[in-house]
Amino acid sequence: MARLLLIEDDLTIRTPLIRALRERGHAVAAASTAMAGLRDALDDRPDLVVLDLGLPDLDGRELLRMLRAVSSVPVIVATARDDETEIVRVLDAGADDYVVKPFTAAQLDARARAVLRRGPSGAGTSDPALVVGGLRVDPRSRQVTLDGAPIELTPREFDLLHYLAGRPGQVITKRELLTEVWQIPYGGADKTVDVHLSWLRRKLGESAQEPRYLHTVRGVGVRLEPPAAAG
């Protein structure tokens, strides 16, 4: 049973959605304002947050940024806009997935289960740490070190790096990353991959112009390999 927090101010959406999600086996709590949702997320520590962007007291994107500053709880954003710019914006702000209104409880349930499967609680305790050169990625603790020094990553940055570290030397396409890391098999924006790769490079102390671990293969994708193997 997953514990979900639904932050939604529209009673006509909130009430039937709570009922339908509970029928699917989830424990569901709800908040109708951004600040109440933030308090509940910090106090109750749900497994996943479903966040409506159109809240009465605070823009949902601002609440998402506040959540990401203090918590790694998975977040699915509910938005009425399905244009690429809006979707990229919420994913880059730290959302793990999104649903476009109107959506059904079945759709939300499927996305919630997919997000939870790839979240910290879904990582198998027997998965070994991945070592690529001086880079060590441990899925059990979800910690990364570079030459022995810890690196602080967001949950999405960790998932992206872990996926690449599991395939050293392979060229991974952006489409594959969107499918396997973002769980968006039906389409999505390459820009969100580019943004997260840029953040990763910065934290690894490199750049696209002077790569050490992350190498762009123009028009194809990205390859992670140890510095000694590059070139």
Side-chain angles (χ1 to χ4, degrees):
M1 178 190 298
R3 295 177 296 112
L4 308 185
L5 172 60
L6 175 62
I7 306 177
E8 167 64 65
D9 68 310
D10 190 333
L11 188 63
T12 62
I13 295 175
R14 189 172 69 243
T15 299
L17 196 54
I18 290 172
R19 182 173 59 251
L21 290 171
R22 285 175 176 168
E23 289 173 354
R24 286 168 168 78
H26 301 294
V28 185
S32 59
T33 66
M35 298 315 296
L38 179 63
R39 182 194 62 231
D40 291 349
L42 297 180
D43 290 347
D44 300 338
R45 295 185 175 274
D47 298 313
L48 183 141
V49 172
V50 180
L51 173 61
D52 174 40
L53 292 184
L55 297 170
D57 57 333
L58 193 68
D59 182 80
R61 281 184 294 271
E62 182 61 28
L63 175 56
L64 178 59
R65 284 189 285 271
M66 294 168 68
L67 270 174
R68 277 291 162 261
V70 295
S71 173
S72 61
V73 62
V75 177
I76 296 178
V77 162
T79 175
R81 299 181 61 185
D82 62 355
D83 61 284
E84 181 178 294
T85 300
E86 176 72 8
I87 291 167
V88 169
R89 192 174 291 135
V90 298
L91 290 173
D92 289 346
D96 294 88
D97 202 351
Y98 65 93
V99 287
V100 177
K101 293 181 178 181
F103 57 87
T104 66
Q107 291 173 326
L108 179 57
D109 177 46
R111 289 181 178 272
R113 287 186 281 108
V115 168
L116 290 170
R117 278 197 301 271
R118 68 179 186 258
S121 61
T125 56
S126 61
D127 289 350
L130 303 175
V131 178
V132 182
L135 190 65
R136 187 176 189 274
V137 183
D138 190 342
R140 291 166 292 187
S141 63
R142 292 182 68 84
Q143 293 181 340
V144 174
T145 59
L146 178 61
D147 299 328
I151 298 176
E152 294 295 326
L153 300 181
T154 67
R156 181 70 74 193
E157 289 167 353
F158 180 91
D159 291 340
L160 175 58
L161 183 61
H162 181 256
Y163 189 83
L164 292 170
R167 297 152 184 81
Q170 298 181 30
V171 179
I172 309 299
T173 67
K174 294 177 185 179
R175 177 61 51 226
E176 180 177 343
L177 292 173
L178 283 168
T179 300
E180 300 298 332
V181 179
W182 274 264
Q183 301 288 305
I184 308 177
Y186 46 82
D190 289 350
K191 185 180 185 304
T192 195
V193 177
D194 293 334
V195 168
H196 282 79
L197 286 172
S198 175
W199 290 341
L200 268 182
R201 286 191 174 101
R202 189 180 310 142
K203 292 182 178 181
L204 293 175
E206 61 183 73
S207 67
Q209 292 73 34
E210 297 182 1
R212 294 184 65 236
Y213 285 89
L214 293 170
H215 299 263
T216 298
V217 180
R218 190 173 299 278
V220 183
V222 64
R223 179 181 71 249
L224 184 145
E225 59 187 14

